[in-house]
Amino acid sequence: MTGLYERDARTLSSMSFLRFFPQAVTGGEGSYLFDEGGRRLLDLSASWGAASLGHSHPAVRLAVDRALSNQAGASHLSGANLPAVELAERLLSIVPERAAGRVWLGHSGSDANETVARAVIAATGRPRIIAFKGAYHGGTVGSMAISGHPAQEGVPKAGGLTLVPYPNAYRDGGPEQASARALAHLDELFAGPVPPEEVAAFFLEPIQSDGGMIVPPLDFFRSVETLCHRYGILVVSDEVKVGLGRSGRLHAFEHLGIEPDIIVFGKGLGGGLPISAAVGPAAIMNHRAAFSFQTVHGNPVCASAALAVLDTIERQDLATHAARVGHHLTTLLEELKSSHPLVGDIRGRGLAVGVELVGDAKAPARRETAKVVYRAFELGLVLYYVGINSNVLEMTPSLLLSAEEAATAIEILDRALADVEAGRVADNVVAGFAGW
Ligand SMILES: Cc1ncc(COP(=O)(O)O)c(/C=N/[C@@H]2CCCCNC2=O)c1O
Protein backbone atom coordinates (compact mmCIF):
# COMPACT_ATOMS: atom_id res chain seq x y z
CA MET A 1 0.00 0.00 0.00
CA THR A 2 1.47 3.33 -1.07
CA GLY A 3 1.84 5.66 1.87
CA LEU A 4 -0.26 8.80 2.23
CA TYR A 5 2.71 11.13 1.66
CA GLU A 6 3.58 9.33 -1.58
CA ARG A 7 -0.05 9.50 -2.73
CA ASP A 8 0.01 13.24 -1.93
CA ALA A 9 3.12 13.68 -4.07
CA ARG A 10 1.47 11.81 -6.95
CA THR A 11 -1.75 13.81 -6.94
CA LEU A 12 -1.41 17.31 -5.49
CA SER A 13 0.32 20.25 -7.14
CA SER A 14 3.61 21.12 -5.50
CA MET A 15 2.92 24.80 -6.18
CA SER A 16 1.28 25.00 -2.75
CA PHE A 17 3.87 22.87 -0.94
CA LEU A 18 5.84 24.47 1.86
CA ARG A 19 7.29 21.23 3.15
CA PHE A 20 9.90 20.58 5.85
CA PHE A 21 9.40 16.84 6.50
CA PRO A 22 7.00 14.06 5.35
CA GLN A 23 4.02 15.05 7.49
CA ALA A 24 0.93 13.02 6.53
CA VAL A 25 -2.03 13.11 8.89
CA THR A 26 -5.34 11.30 9.03
CA GLY A 27 -6.90 13.14 11.99
CA GLY A 28 -6.35 15.23 15.06
CA GLU A 29 -7.68 16.25 18.44
CA GLY A 30 -6.74 19.18 20.62
CA SER A 31 -3.03 19.96 20.29
CA TYR A 32 -2.34 16.64 18.57
CA LEU A 33 -2.35 15.38 15.00
CA PHE A 34 -2.52 11.69 14.16
CA ASP A 35 -0.40 10.33 11.33
CA GLU A 36 -1.30 7.36 9.18
CA GLY A 37 0.83 5.10 11.32
CA GLY A 38 -1.22 6.08 14.36
CA ARG A 39 1.58 8.23 15.75
CA ARG A 40 0.39 11.19 17.88
CA LEU A 41 2.19 14.37 16.83
CA LEU A 42 2.25 17.33 19.21
CA ASP A 43 1.44 20.27 16.97
CA LEU A 44 3.20 23.53 17.86
CA SER A 45 2.14 25.16 14.59
CA ALA A 46 -1.64 24.53 14.45
CA SER A 47 -1.35 24.85 10.66
CA TRP A 48 0.49 28.16 10.83
CA GLY A 49 -1.89 29.39 13.52
CA ALA A 50 -5.14 28.60 11.72
CA ALA A 51 -6.28 25.84 14.08
CA SER A 52 -6.55 28.39 16.86
CA LEU A 53 -8.72 26.15 19.06
CA GLY A 54 -6.75 23.03 18.21
CA HIS A 55 -8.31 20.17 16.25
CA SER A 56 -11.88 18.85 16.41
CA HIS A 57 -12.97 21.47 18.94
CA PRO A 58 -16.58 20.72 20.02
CA ALA A 59 -17.70 24.35 19.78
CA VAL A 60 -16.60 24.58 16.16
CA ARG A 61 -18.08 21.18 15.32
CA LEU A 62 -21.43 22.14 16.83
CA ALA A 63 -21.50 25.53 15.10
CA VAL A 64 -20.66 24.03 11.70
CA ASP A 65 -23.20 21.22 12.10
CA ARG A 66 -25.94 23.66 13.06
CA ALA A 67 -25.08 25.96 10.14
CA LEU A 68 -25.09 23.06 7.71
CA SER A 69 -28.27 21.58 9.15
CA ASN A 70 -30.22 24.74 8.35
CA GLN A 71 -28.07 26.29 5.68
CA ALA A 72 -28.76 29.98 5.09
CA GLY A 73 -27.40 29.90 1.55
CA ALA A 74 -23.68 29.77 0.76
CA SER A 75 -22.73 33.43 0.32
CA HIS A 76 -23.48 36.96 1.42
CA LEU A 77 -22.73 38.60 -1.94
CA SER A 78 -26.28 38.92 -3.13
CA GLY A 79 -28.22 38.49 0.09
CA ALA A 80 -27.78 38.88 3.83
CA ASN A 81 -27.50 35.80 6.01
CA LEU A 82 -27.82 35.68 9.77
CA PRO A 83 -24.40 34.19 10.71
CA ALA A 84 -22.51 36.68 8.53
CA VAL A 85 -24.43 39.61 10.04
CA GLU A 86 -23.92 38.30 13.58
CA LEU A 87 -20.19 37.89 12.89
CA ALA A 88 -19.92 41.42 11.50
CA GLU A 89 -21.75 42.82 14.52
CA ARG A 90 -19.43 40.88 16.80
CA LEU A 91 -16.27 42.09 15.06
CA LEU A 92 -17.46 45.70 15.15
CA SER A 93 -17.98 45.31 18.90
CA ILE A 94 -14.38 44.25 19.60
CA VAL A 95 -12.40 46.79 17.55
CA PRO A 96 -11.50 50.39 18.48
CA GLU A 97 -14.09 53.05 17.65
CA ARG A 98 -11.98 54.51 14.81
CA ALA A 99 -12.09 51.14 13.01
CA ALA A 100 -15.70 50.28 13.81
CA GLY A 101 -17.26 51.14 10.46
CA ARG A 102 -17.88 48.17 8.22
CA VAL A 103 -16.68 44.56 7.94
CA TRP A 104 -15.48 42.98 4.72
CA LEU A 105 -15.55 39.16 4.83
CA GLY A 106 -13.17 37.00 2.83
CA HIS A 107 -11.52 33.59 2.75
CA SER A 108 -7.92 34.32 3.70
CA GLY A 109 -5.47 36.83 5.07
CA SER A 110 -4.31 37.27 1.49
CA ASP A 111 -7.62 38.30 -0.02
CA ALA A 112 -8.38 40.54 2.96
CA ASN A 113 -5.06 42.39 2.72
CA GLU A 114 -5.36 42.61 -1.06
CA THR A 115 -8.82 44.13 -0.72
CA VAL A 116 -7.65 46.65 1.89
CA ALA A 117 -4.67 47.64 -0.28
CA ARG A 118 -6.97 48.30 -3.24
CA ALA A 119 -9.63 50.06 -1.15
CA VAL A 120 -7.37 52.51 0.68
CA ILE A 121 -5.91 53.75 -2.62
CA ALA A 122 -9.28 53.90 -4.38
CA ALA A 123 -11.07 55.59 -1.49
CA THR A 124 -8.40 58.16 -0.60
CA GLY A 125 -7.05 58.87 -4.08
CA ARG A 126 -3.56 58.56 -2.59
CA PRO A 127 -1.31 56.29 -4.74
CA ARG A 128 1.23 55.10 -2.16
CA ILE A 129 1.41 52.35 0.45
CA ILE A 130 4.17 51.80 3.01
CA ALA A 131 4.93 48.31 4.30
CA PHE A 132 7.88 46.59 5.95
CA LYS A 133 10.78 44.65 4.53
CA GLY A 134 10.26 41.07 5.62
CA ALA A 135 6.48 41.45 5.83
CA TYR A 136 4.23 38.67 4.62
CA HIS A 137 0.72 39.96 3.85
CA GLY A 138 -0.34 37.14 1.56
CA GLY A 139 0.14 34.87 -1.40
CA THR A 140 -2.19 36.46 -3.96
CA VAL A 141 -0.99 38.92 -6.61
CA GLY A 142 -2.35 41.95 -4.76
CA SER A 143 -1.16 40.91 -1.31
CA MET A 144 2.29 39.87 -2.55
CA ALA A 145 2.45 43.28 -4.23
CA ILE A 146 2.49 44.95 -0.79
CA SER A 147 4.66 42.35 0.97
CA GLY A 148 8.38 42.43 1.60
CA HIS A 149 9.26 38.82 2.37
CA PRO A 150 12.31 37.51 0.47
CA ALA A 151 10.42 34.31 -0.40
CA GLN A 152 8.44 36.50 -2.82
CA GLU A 153 11.38 38.27 -4.44
CA GLY A 154 10.83 38.66 -8.16
CA VAL A 155 7.08 38.86 -7.75
CA PRO A 156 5.79 42.26 -9.02
CA LYS A 157 5.35 44.91 -6.33
CA ALA A 158 2.68 47.61 -6.28
CA GLY A 159 3.79 50.71 -8.14
CA GLY A 160 3.27 52.93 -5.13
CA LEU A 161 4.84 50.59 -2.58
CA THR A 162 7.69 51.66 -0.34
CA LEU A 163 9.27 49.00 1.88
CA VAL A 164 10.96 50.20 5.06
CA PRO A 165 13.08 48.37 7.66
CA TYR A 166 11.28 46.65 10.56
CA PRO A 167 13.25 47.38 13.73
CA ASN A 168 14.99 44.20 14.92
CA ALA A 169 16.43 44.59 18.41
CA TYR A 170 18.42 41.31 18.10
CA ARG A 171 20.24 42.36 14.93
CA ASP A 172 20.10 46.18 14.95
CA GLY A 173 22.01 46.91 18.14
CA GLY A 174 19.19 46.69 20.67
CA PRO A 175 15.66 48.14 20.84
CA GLU A 176 16.54 51.82 21.16
CA GLN A 177 19.01 51.86 18.26
CA ALA A 178 16.74 49.69 16.10
CA SER A 179 13.82 52.02 16.70
CA ALA A 180 15.84 55.19 16.12
CA ARG A 181 17.27 53.91 12.84
CA ALA A 182 13.87 52.82 11.53
CA LEU A 183 12.23 56.13 12.45
CA ALA A 184 15.11 58.12 10.93
CA HIS A 185 14.62 56.18 7.73
CA LEU A 186 10.94 57.14 7.68
CA ASP A 187 11.76 60.80 8.29
CA GLU A 188 14.22 60.76 5.37
CA LEU A 189 11.62 59.24 3.08
CA PHE A 190 8.92 61.74 4.04
CA ALA A 191 11.38 64.63 3.59
CA GLY A 192 11.90 63.78 -0.05
CA PRO A 193 11.24 60.62 -2.09
CA VAL A 194 7.94 59.70 -0.44
CA PRO A 195 5.67 62.73 0.09
CA PRO A 196 3.53 61.67 3.09
CA GLU A 197 0.41 63.32 1.68
CA GLU A 198 0.61 60.76 -1.17
CA VAL A 199 0.54 57.79 1.21
CA ALA A 200 -2.84 56.09 1.64
CA ALA A 201 -1.88 53.53 4.29
CA PHE A 202 0.90 52.04 6.38
CA PHE A 203 0.61 48.23 6.71
CA LEU A 204 2.14 46.80 9.88
CA GLU A 205 2.38 43.48 11.65
CA PRO A 206 2.30 43.98 15.46
CA ILE A 207 4.81 41.11 15.55
CA GLN A 208 6.50 40.43 12.21
CA SER A 209 5.90 36.69 12.06
CA ASP A 210 6.96 35.18 8.72
CA GLY A 211 9.80 37.69 8.75
CA GLY A 212 11.14 36.01 11.89
CA MET A 213 8.70 36.49 14.77
CA ILE A 214 10.25 39.91 15.45
CA VAL A 215 8.78 41.80 18.38
CA PRO A 216 9.08 45.55 17.74
CA PRO A 217 10.73 47.90 20.27
CA LEU A 218 8.41 49.47 22.82
CA ASP A 219 6.87 52.72 21.58
CA PHE A 220 8.18 52.31 18.02
CA PHE A 221 4.70 51.98 16.60
CA ARG A 222 3.36 54.80 18.75
CA SER A 223 5.85 57.03 16.95
CA VAL A 224 4.74 55.56 13.62
CA GLU A 225 1.08 56.17 14.53
CA THR A 226 1.86 59.79 15.43
CA LEU A 227 3.52 60.27 12.03
CA CYS A 228 0.56 58.67 10.27
CA HIS A 229 -2.00 60.81 12.10
CA ARG A 230 0.04 63.94 11.28
CA TYR A 231 -0.22 63.22 7.55
CA GLY A 232 -3.62 61.50 7.39
CA ILE A 233 -2.12 58.08 6.63
CA LEU A 234 -4.32 55.11 7.55
CA VAL A 235 -2.76 52.59 9.94
CA VAL A 236 -3.52 48.98 8.97
CA SER A 237 -2.76 46.27 11.53
CA ASP A 238 -2.37 42.82 10.00
CA GLU A 239 -3.52 40.61 12.90
CA VAL A 240 -3.90 37.52 10.71
CA LYS A 241 -1.33 35.38 12.50
CA VAL A 242 -0.77 36.96 15.90
CA GLY A 243 -4.21 38.42 16.61
CA LEU A 244 -7.32 37.11 18.37
CA GLY A 245 -5.75 36.26 21.71
CA ARG A 246 -2.55 34.62 20.50
CA SER A 247 -0.23 37.43 21.71
CA GLY A 248 -1.71 37.39 25.21
CA ARG A 249 -4.08 40.28 24.44
CA LEU A 250 -7.21 40.06 22.29
CA HIS A 251 -5.51 42.22 19.65
CA ALA A 252 -1.73 42.17 19.25
CA PHE A 253 -1.76 45.90 18.47
CA GLU A 254 -2.81 46.50 22.09
CA HIS A 255 0.79 45.77 23.12
CA LEU A 256 1.90 48.65 20.85
CA GLY A 257 -0.32 51.26 22.47
CA ILE A 258 -1.93 52.19 19.14
CA GLU A 259 -5.44 52.19 17.71
CA PRO A 260 -5.32 51.15 14.03
CA ASP A 261 -7.77 52.51 11.48
CA ILE A 262 -8.15 49.14 9.75
CA ILE A 263 -7.68 45.67 11.24
CA VAL A 264 -7.24 42.47 9.23
CA PHE A 265 -8.18 39.12 10.74
CA GLY A 266 -7.68 35.65 9.29
CA LYS A 267 -6.18 32.22 10.04
CA GLY A 268 -7.37 31.53 13.60
CA LEU A 269 -10.62 33.49 13.07
CA GLY A 270 -12.11 30.39 11.44
CA GLY A 271 -10.55 27.82 13.78
CA GLY A 272 -9.35 25.91 10.73
CA LEU A 273 -12.12 26.93 8.35
CA PRO A 274 -11.34 29.52 5.68
CA ILE A 275 -12.58 32.95 6.68
CA SER A 276 -11.00 36.39 7.01
CA ALA A 277 -12.22 39.87 7.81
CA ALA A 278 -11.12 43.46 7.28
CA VAL A 279 -12.68 45.98 9.64
CA GLY A 280 -12.38 49.70 9.03
CA PRO A 281 -14.06 53.08 8.58
CA ALA A 282 -17.16 53.15 6.38
CA ALA A 283 -15.48 55.81 4.22
CA ILE A 284 -13.02 53.11 3.14
CA MET A 285 -14.98 49.88 3.56
CA ASN A 286 -18.04 51.27 1.76
CA HIS A 287 -15.97 52.79 -1.03
CA ARG A 288 -18.01 51.17 -3.79
CA ALA A 289 -20.42 48.23 -4.17
CA ALA A 290 -19.14 45.16 -6.06
CA PHE A 291 -15.54 46.27 -5.47
CA SER A 292 -14.11 43.00 -4.10
CA PHE A 293 -15.97 39.72 -3.83
CA GLN A 294 -15.70 35.96 -4.30
CA THR A 295 -18.66 33.64 -4.54
CA VAL A 296 -18.72 32.07 -1.08
CA HIS A 297 -17.47 35.06 0.85
CA GLY A 298 -19.55 35.48 4.01
CA ASN A 299 -20.95 31.97 3.80
CA PRO A 300 -22.93 31.01 6.90
CA VAL A 301 -20.89 27.90 7.69
CA CYS A 302 -17.52 29.64 8.02
CA ALA A 303 -19.15 32.66 9.66
CA SER A 304 -20.70 30.34 12.27
CA ALA A 305 -17.33 28.73 12.91
CA ALA A 306 -15.81 32.18 13.41
CA LEU A 307 -18.53 33.13 15.88
CA ALA A 308 -17.83 29.94 17.83
CA VAL A 309 -14.12 30.78 17.88
CA LEU A 310 -14.72 34.31 19.13
CA ASP A 311 -17.18 33.02 21.75
CA THR A 312 -14.66 30.45 22.97
CA ILE A 313 -11.80 32.95 23.10
CA GLU A 314 -13.96 35.27 25.19
CA ARG A 315 -15.68 32.69 27.43
CA GLN A 316 -12.46 30.86 28.27
CA ASP A 317 -10.34 34.05 28.32
CA LEU A 318 -7.89 32.38 25.97
CA ALA A 319 -5.83 35.56 25.66
CA THR A 320 -4.91 35.26 29.34
CA HIS A 321 -4.31 31.53 28.91
CA ALA A 322 -2.02 32.26 25.96
CA ALA A 323 -0.12 34.79 28.04
CA ARG A 324 0.29 32.33 30.90
CA VAL A 325 1.26 29.24 28.88
CA GLY A 326 3.34 31.39 26.54
CA HIS A 327 5.32 32.65 29.52
CA HIS A 328 5.82 29.05 30.65
CA LEU A 329 6.95 28.06 27.17
CA THR A 330 9.49 30.88 26.87
CA THR A 331 10.77 30.24 30.39
CA LEU A 332 11.47 26.62 29.42
CA LEU A 333 13.08 27.82 26.20
CA GLU A 334 15.36 30.21 28.09
CA GLU A 335 16.53 27.22 30.17
CA LEU A 336 17.16 25.35 26.92
CA LYS A 337 19.26 28.23 25.60
CA SER A 338 21.98 27.69 28.21
CA SER A 339 22.68 24.17 26.93
CA HIS A 340 22.34 24.73 23.16
CA PRO A 341 24.79 27.04 21.33
CA LEU A 342 22.48 26.99 18.30
CA VAL A 343 19.84 29.00 20.19
CA GLY A 344 20.60 32.67 19.57
CA ASP A 345 17.40 34.47 20.51
CA ILE A 346 14.04 33.64 22.03
CA ARG A 347 11.25 36.15 21.43
CA GLY A 348 7.53 36.57 21.08
CA ARG A 349 4.38 37.38 22.98
CA GLY A 350 1.95 34.86 24.42
CA LEU A 351 1.70 31.84 22.14
CA ALA A 352 3.43 33.57 19.24
CA VAL A 353 7.03 32.53 19.87
CA GLY A 354 10.17 32.51 17.75
CA VAL A 355 13.53 30.81 18.42
CA GLU A 356 16.32 32.09 16.20
CA LEU A 357 19.10 29.56 15.52
CA VAL A 358 22.54 30.94 14.76
CA GLY A 359 26.19 30.04 14.37
CA ASP A 360 29.18 32.21 15.24
CA ALA A 361 28.59 35.98 15.20
CA LYS A 362 24.84 35.37 14.85
CA ALA A 363 25.29 33.83 11.39
CA PRO A 364 21.86 32.41 10.45
CA ALA A 365 21.94 28.61 10.94
CA ARG A 366 19.68 27.83 7.98
CA ARG A 367 20.72 24.22 7.41
CA GLU A 368 20.67 23.36 11.11
CA THR A 369 17.19 24.86 11.43
CA ALA A 370 15.88 22.59 8.67
CA LYS A 371 17.44 19.62 10.45
CA VAL A 372 16.00 20.58 13.83
CA VAL A 373 12.42 20.68 12.56
CA TYR A 374 12.95 17.43 10.65
CA ARG A 375 14.38 15.70 13.75
CA ALA A 376 11.64 17.12 15.95
CA PHE A 377 9.08 15.60 13.57
CA GLU A 378 10.80 12.22 13.84
CA LEU A 379 10.54 12.57 17.62
CA GLY A 380 6.83 13.48 17.50
CA LEU A 381 6.76 17.30 17.45
CA VAL A 382 5.45 19.46 14.58
CA LEU A 383 6.87 22.94 14.18
CA TYR A 384 8.09 24.86 11.14
CA TYR A 385 10.47 27.75 10.56
CA VAL A 386 10.18 31.33 9.36
CA GLY A 387 12.51 34.30 8.96
CA ILE A 388 14.15 36.21 6.13
CA ASN A 389 17.03 33.73 6.57
CA SER A 390 14.80 30.68 7.28
CA ASN A 391 16.41 30.20 10.69
CA VAL A 392 13.64 30.99 13.18
CA LEU A 393 11.60 28.19 14.71
CA GLU A 394 7.99 29.37 14.88
CA MET A 395 5.59 28.32 17.62
CA THR A 396 1.92 29.21 17.08
CA PRO A 397 0.09 26.33 18.76
CA SER A 398 -3.54 25.93 19.70
CA LEU A 399 -4.55 28.68 22.16
CA LEU A 400 -5.63 25.81 24.41
CA LEU A 401 -2.12 24.34 24.66
CA SER A 402 -1.58 23.20 28.23
CA ALA A 403 1.49 23.84 30.36
CA GLU A 404 2.12 20.08 30.32
CA GLU A 405 1.99 19.99 26.52
CA ALA A 406 4.36 22.95 26.41
CA ALA A 407 6.79 21.06 28.64
CA THR A 408 6.53 17.95 26.44
CA ALA A 409 7.22 20.06 23.34
CA ILE A 410 10.34 21.58 24.87
CA GLU A 411 11.63 18.17 25.98
CA ILE A 412 11.36 16.96 22.37
CA LEU A 413 12.93 20.16 21.01
CA ASP A 414 15.80 19.73 23.48
CA ARG A 415 16.51 16.27 22.04
CA ALA A 416 16.23 17.49 18.44
CA LEU A 417 18.68 20.34 19.08
CA ALA A 418 21.11 17.97 20.80
CA ASP A 419 20.99 15.51 17.89
CA VAL A 420 21.64 18.24 15.34
CA GLU A 421 24.43 19.85 17.37
CA ALA A 422 26.03 16.42 17.78
CA GLY A 423 25.97 15.87 14.01
CA ARG A 424 23.52 12.97 14.26
CA VAL A 425 21.21 14.34 11.54
CA ALA A 426 22.65 13.84 8.04
CA ASP A 427 22.44 16.56 5.41
CA ASN A 428 20.53 14.33 3.00
CA VAL A 429 17.49 13.91 5.26
CA VAL A 430 16.34 17.45 4.49
CA ALA A 431 17.48 17.44 0.86
CA GLY A 432 14.00 16.61 -0.40
CA PHE A 433 12.22 19.36 1.52
CA ALA A 434 12.56 22.79 -0.02
CA GLY A 435 10.91 24.72 2.80
CA TRP A 436 10.48 28.41 1.84
C1 LIG B 1 0.65 38.23 8.99
C2 LIG B 1 0.03 37.49 7.84
N1 LIG B 1 -0.86 38.14 7.05
C3 LIG B 1 -1.44 37.49 6.02
C4 LIG B 1 -1.14 36.19 5.72
C5 LIG B 1 -1.84 35.51 4.57
O1 LIG B 1 -2.82 34.67 5.10
P1 LIG B 1 -3.35 33.45 4.17
O2 LIG B 1 -2.18 32.52 3.98
O3 LIG B 1 -4.46 32.86 4.98
O4 LIG B 1 -3.82 34.03 2.88
C6 LIG B 1 -0.22 35.48 6.51
C7 LIG B 1 0.14 34.09 6.14
N2 LIG B 1 1.23 33.61 6.56
C8 LIG B 1 1.84 32.39 6.07
C9 LIG B 1 0.93 31.47 5.30
C10 LIG B 1 1.65 30.53 4.41
C11 LIG B 1 2.61 29.59 5.03
C12 LIG B 1 3.76 30.28 5.68
N3 LIG B 1 3.42 30.77 6.97
C13 LIG B 1 2.40 31.64 7.23
O5 LIG B 1 1.97 31.81 8.38
C14 LIG B 1 0.36 36.15 7.58
O6 LIG B 1 1.25 35.51 8.40
Side-chain angles (χ1 to χ4, degrees), residues 18 20 43-53 107-110 112-113 134-138 149 151-152 166 204-214 236-253 255 263-272 275-277 309 313 322 347-355 383-388 392-399 436:
L18 186 59
F20 306 91
D43 183 7
L44 269 194
S45 175
S47 300
W48 298 103
S52 50
L53 300 186
H107 294 317
S108 65
S110 300
N113 279 318
Y136 187 104
H137 294 299
H149 197 282
Q152 299 174 341
Y166 196 95
L204 66 91
E205 291 173 73
I207 301 172
Q208 192 179 76
S209 53
D210 286 327
M213 204 54 87
I214 303 169
V236 182
S237 184
D238 182 343
E239 299 269 325
V240 169
K241 177 131 74 167
V242 298
L244 294 180
R246 176 164 301 286
S247 74
R249 306 287 291 271
L250 177 60
H251 305 300
F253 64 74
H255 297 279
I263 302 151
V264 182
F265 300 103
K267 285 182 188 269
L269 176 64
I275 184 166
S276 60
V309 167
I313 289 171
R347 53 187 184 244
R349 294 189 194 279
L351 286 175
V353 176
V355 180
L383 78 167
Y384 311 128
Y385 59 76
V386 293
I388 61 173
V392 182
L393 303 175
E394 180 183 83
M395 300 176 186
T396 56
S398 160
L399 299 180
W436 286 81

Side-chain angles (χ1 to χ4, degrees), residues 44 326-340 343 345-347 353-355 383 393 395 406 409-410 413-414 417:
L44 269 194
H327 177 70
H328 183 56
L329 187 69
T330 45
T331 302
L332 293 172
L333 284 166
E334 287 296 344
E335 291 167 12
L336 210 63
K337 185 176 179 184
S338 57
S339 52
H340 292 290
V343 177
D345 192 33
I346 296 159
R347 53 187 184 244
V353 176
V355 180
L383 78 167
L393 303 175
M395 300 176 186
I410 299 308
L413 184 60
D414 185 18
L417 284 163

Side-chain angles (χ1 to χ4, degrees), residues 133-337:
K133 291 175 184 171
Y136 187 104
H137 294 299
T140 57
V141 171
S143 53
M144 287 195 281
I146 58 158
S147 295
H149 197 282
Q152 299 174 341
E153 255 158 24
V155 172
K157 295 299 171 188
L161 178 69
T162 300
L163 292 171
V164 298
Y166 196 95
N168 183 334
Y170 178 61
R171 291 191 173 274
D172 299 341
E176 293 78 13
Q177 184 169 311
S179 189
R181 282 167 60 175
L183 290 171
H185 186 91
L186 275 176
D187 288 339
E188 286 163 24
L189 288 175
F190 284 172
V194 180
E197 62 278 0
E198 293 180 6
V199 181
F202 199 138
F203 278 70
L204 66 91
E205 291 173 73
I207 301 172
Q208 192 179 76
S209 53
D210 286 327
M213 204 54 87
I214 303 169
V215 179
L218 201 60
D219 293 336
F220 170 72
F221 278 112
R222 289 181 70 163
S223 302
V224 169
E225 183 186 58
T226 301
L227 269 177
C228 289
H229 288 178
R230 183 182 306 154
Y231 297 114
I233 298 170
L234 295 162
V235 176
V236 182
S237 184
D238 182 343
E239 299 269 325
V240 169
K241 177 131 74 167
V242 298
L244 294 180
R246 176 164 301 286
S247 74
R249 306 287 291 271
L250 177 60
H251 305 300
F253 64 74
E254 294 175 54
H255 297 279
L256 312 181
I258 66 170
E259 285 199 352
D261 300 286
I262 298 173
I263 302 151
V264 182
F265 300 103
K267 285 182 188 269
L269 176 64
L273 275 78
I275 184 166
S276 60
V279 190
I284 306 297
M285 306 308 285
N286 267 355
H287 166 62
R288 175 170 66 78
F291 180 78
S292 175
F293 51 84
Q294 296 170 53
T295 305
V296 292
H297 276 170
N299 71 81
V301 178
C302 291
S304 298
L307 280 161
V309 167
L310 294 175
D311 283 345
T312 306
I313 289 171
E314 182 181 341
R315 285 195 191 125
Q316 295 187 233
D317 191 7
L318 293 185
T320 302
H321 180 79
R324 186 167 55 241
V325 176
H327 177 70
H328 183 56
L329 187 69
T330 45
T331 302
L332 293 172
L333 284 166
E334 287 296 344
E335 291 167 12
L336 210 63
K337 185 176 179 184

Side-chain angles (χ1 to χ4, degrees), residues 53-65:
L53 300 186
H55 309 102
S56 311
H57 192 284
V60 178
R61 289 168 57 194
L62 180 62
V64 168
D65 184 60

